Amino acid sequence: MNYQETTAWMFNQLPMYQLQGASAYKKDLTNTHILINHLDNPHQNLKFIHVAGTNGKGSTSHMLASILQEAGYKVGLYTSPHLKDYRERIKINGSEITEDFVCEFINSNKAFFEANDISFFEMSVGLAFDYFAKEKVDIAIIEVGMGGRLDATNIITPLVSVITNIGLDHTQFLGNTLELIAAEKAGIIKAEIPVIIGEYLPETKAVFLAKAKENNSEIYFASNLISDDFPSDLIGDYQIHNKKTVLQTIKILNTQTNFNITQNNIESGLLHVVKNTGLLGRWQQLGESPKVICDTAHNKNGLEIVLNQIQKEKFNQLHIVLGVVNDKDLDEVLPLFSKNAIYYFCKPNIPRGLEASILKEKANQFGLKGRTYHSVSEAYHSSQESATANDFIYVGGSTFVVAEIL
């Protein structure tokens, strides 16, 4: 199979939460252990940073990668989901895994995957670990897919564990309270491995403290310990918390491991995150006059921050290109949106995409008015045609909406 055929097989033949939702979720790590043993345990030869959290995992992981690259290290980076090409998920020093490596890995192990019902995410984790081990990276930064305790990435023992924050998301899998979700994400805390907490609430702090005590792990609350005075090319108010988390993590690497990261490395790394890692979709500006911003925020906590930031912008009229997936709690997120905006409702082009007509009907209940469109691109082009130079266009609601316009 060539690369297109290989990725098509991966997407279409195997359980994949990104596209299918609940049916792809597995409730233990048995398959991951079976897979990783089949691959001769490549993770045992790697050093890791493990990053979990409701929001900010991607930005935090990319900032860490950029800083470590500036310090001269060979850095593996595993994140999800991808926006345009599957290979975005697996990078070394900002360069995506080669098509040939993906094809060879899948073709060599295809019979094993089929025989053992290995999921899309499990095989992606195995691919990343195999690639990083063969390329002999100095350190690999691994972003949790969902949750933590039962995530396929949670077979590693990292140098440091990072939990960015806790919000209500994926409640059908992780629990419907902040305490339950915190407990799932705290599942990445390992015995005697330091853990950094980015943001916390009273109810989540207690969970983290208990889990850290149980594992005899030093715990650091970055928001209390770190002051952020470093500029970054990742703009957006929400990056303030992510930067504090990153700075505390680097401090631990410097003081408790053999890594050596200077102040200059930190400053340069934070200023060149996009250049060094290729990160997309975080308060990313696509145009000016009118100003166009896209952002992959898709749950209540993330959207709240992004929509608040929009209100700090100066514009005559706000245009919002909006699409969501069909398991999104609309009663939770739609009240966050401005009633004074013009809406362009659309469906992301995946099986989980919510029909634009259903989204519009639900949005109308919250006073959000606009038209439906047959595609994300049609909605986006219509917003561009309608907006004047002094207006503001926001594109979001789902990672998949952003992916279609990039």
Side-chain angles (χ1 to χ4, degrees):
M1 295 188 294
N2 62 26
Y3 177 69
Q4 284 72 28
E5 292 167 340
T6 299
T7 52
W9 179 82
M10 293 172 73
F11 296 148
N12 294 329
Q13 301 300 318
L14 296 168
M16 180 180 177
Y17 174 75
Q18 179 180 346
L19 295 180
Q20 292 176 227
S23 65
Y25 186 65
K26 297 189 177 181
K27 295 196 176 293
D28 61 53
L29 295 175
T30 301
N31 268 21
T32 308
H33 286 294
I34 291 171
L35 170 62
I36 215 70
N37 287 333
H38 169 74
L39 298 173
D40 294 327
N41 299 298
H43 64 303
Q44 294 180 354
N45 301 316
L46 295 166
K47 296 177 180 177
F48 295 104
I49 300 173
H50 204 186
V51 184
T54 301
N55 294 300
K57 297 189 298 292
S59 295
T60 297
S61 296
H62 283 78
M63 286 181 187
L64 286 167
S66 182
I67 291 170
L68 284 159
Q69 286 171 224
E70 290 286 346
Y73 295 106
K74 189 174 185 179
V75 184
L77 178 62
Y78 175 76
T79 59
S80 62
H82 62 273
L83 290 177
K84 298 166 72 176
D85 185 337
Y86 172 78
R87 296 181 303 132
E88 295 168 28
R89 295 168 178 254
I90 303 170
K91 298 179 181 178
I92 295 177
N93 283 9
S95 296
E96 296 172 356
I97 188 172
T98 65
E99 292 184 358
D100 286 346
F101 198 102
V102 176
C103 292
E104 183 179 342
F105 178 84
I106 296 299
N107 291 333
S108 298
N109 296 287
K110 185 169 178 281
F112 176 86
F113 296 154
E114 291 175 327
N116 291 276
D117 191 29
I118 302 299
S119 75
F120 173 91
F121 194 77
E122 288 160 349
M123 73 172 66
S124 296
V125 170
L127 170 58
F129 291 176
D130 188 62
Y131 182 59
F132 294 154
K134 287 176 177 172
E135 291 293 320
K136 296 181 171 59
V137 299
D138 296 312
I139 190 167
I141 299 164
I142 306 297
E143 179 190 340
V144 167
M146 181 173 63
R149 181 175 64 92
L150 299 176
D151 189 76
T153 64
N154 201 30
I155 59 169
I156 62 176
T157 300
L159 299 176
V160 59
S161 304
V162 178
I163 302 174
T164 57
N165 54 42
I166 300 298
L168 292 172
D169 197 23
H170 301 307
T171 54
Q172 67 270 49
F173 308 113
L174 306 180
N176 57 10
T177 68
L178 293 173
E179 292 92 338
L180 287 172
I181 294 174
E184 288 298 314
K185 297 188 188 294
I188 70 165
I189 299 175
K190 303 295 195 304
E192 300 184 349
I193 301 298
V195 56
I196 313 297
I197 308 298
E199 302 172 71
Y200 65 88
L201 298 166
E203 53 265 55
T204 62
K205 184 176 185 179
V207 174
F208 295 139
L209 287 170
K211 189 65 174 179
K213 183 178 180 181
E214 175 188 328
N215 283 278
N216 194 30
S217 301
E218 294 180 83
I219 186 167
Y220 302 85
F221 293 94
S223 57
N224 298 348
L225 297 171
I226 293 291
S227 60
D228 164 41
D229 54 2
F230 291 94
S232 174
D233 62 337
L234 297 190
I235 56 177
D237 293 348
Y238 54 88
Q239 299 297 1
I240 294 171
H241 295 292
N242 295 332
K243 281 191 283 183
K244 289 184 177 184
T245 305
V246 166
L247 293 171
Q248 183 63 49
T249 304
I250 295 297
K251 186 175 181 180
I252 297 304
L253 288 180
N254 270 337
T255 57
Q256 299 189 25
T257 74
N258 293 325
F259 284 84
N260 182 26
I261 302 131
T262 68
Q263 193 88 343
N264 285 340
N265 299 151
I266 294 170
E267 292 176 1
S268 186
L270 288 174
L271 279 173
H272 301 106
V273 179
V274 174
K275 175 186 172 184
N276 286 342
T277 69
L279 178 64
L280 299 170
R282 289 359 181 245
W283 195 259
Q284 183 174 344
Q285 186 166 343
L286 303 177
E288 52 184 318
S289 301
K291 187 172 184 178
V292 182
I293 294 289
C294 69
D295 195 283
T296 55
H298 57 275
N299 54 43
K300 180 181 178 182
N301 297 75
L303 286 167
E304 202 164 28
I305 295 169
V306 170
L307 293 171
N308 284 340
Q309 181 148 349
I310 289 174
Q311 295 307 317
K312 297 179 182 179
E313 298 281 335
K314 293 181 179 179
F315 51 79
N316 290 340
Q317 177 65 56
L318 175 60
H319 304 258
I320 296 181
V321 178
L322 185 64
V324 298
V325 292
N326 59 21
D327 54 3
K328 189 61 57 185
D329 186 347
L330 297 178
D331 289 324
E332 184 177 65
V333 299
L334 289 177
L336 304 173
F337 285 85
S338 172
K339 294 178 181 177
N340 296 321
I342 298 171
Y343 286 85
Y344 304 76
F345 300 109
C346 52
K347 174 191 173 184
N349 188 27
I350 59 166
R352 285 173 63 212
L354 181 67
E355 292 295 339
S357 57
I358 298 175
L359 176 59
K360 177 187 176 183
E361 182 180 351
K362 190 69 176 178
N364 285 346
Q365 296 175 19
F366 294 92
L368 312 182
K369 304 297 183 181
R371 292 179 54 196
T372 60
Y373 295 85
H374 292 109
S375 67
V376 172
S377 60
E378 184 186 4
Y380 179 47
H381 290 311
S382 180
S383 72
Q384 290 178 300
E385 291 172 358
S386 300
T388 64
N390 294 320
D391 288 354
F392 186 99
I393 300 174
Y394 169 68
V395 183
S398 167
T399 300
F400 309 108
V401 171
V402 174
E404 287 189 47
I405 64 161
L406 286 180

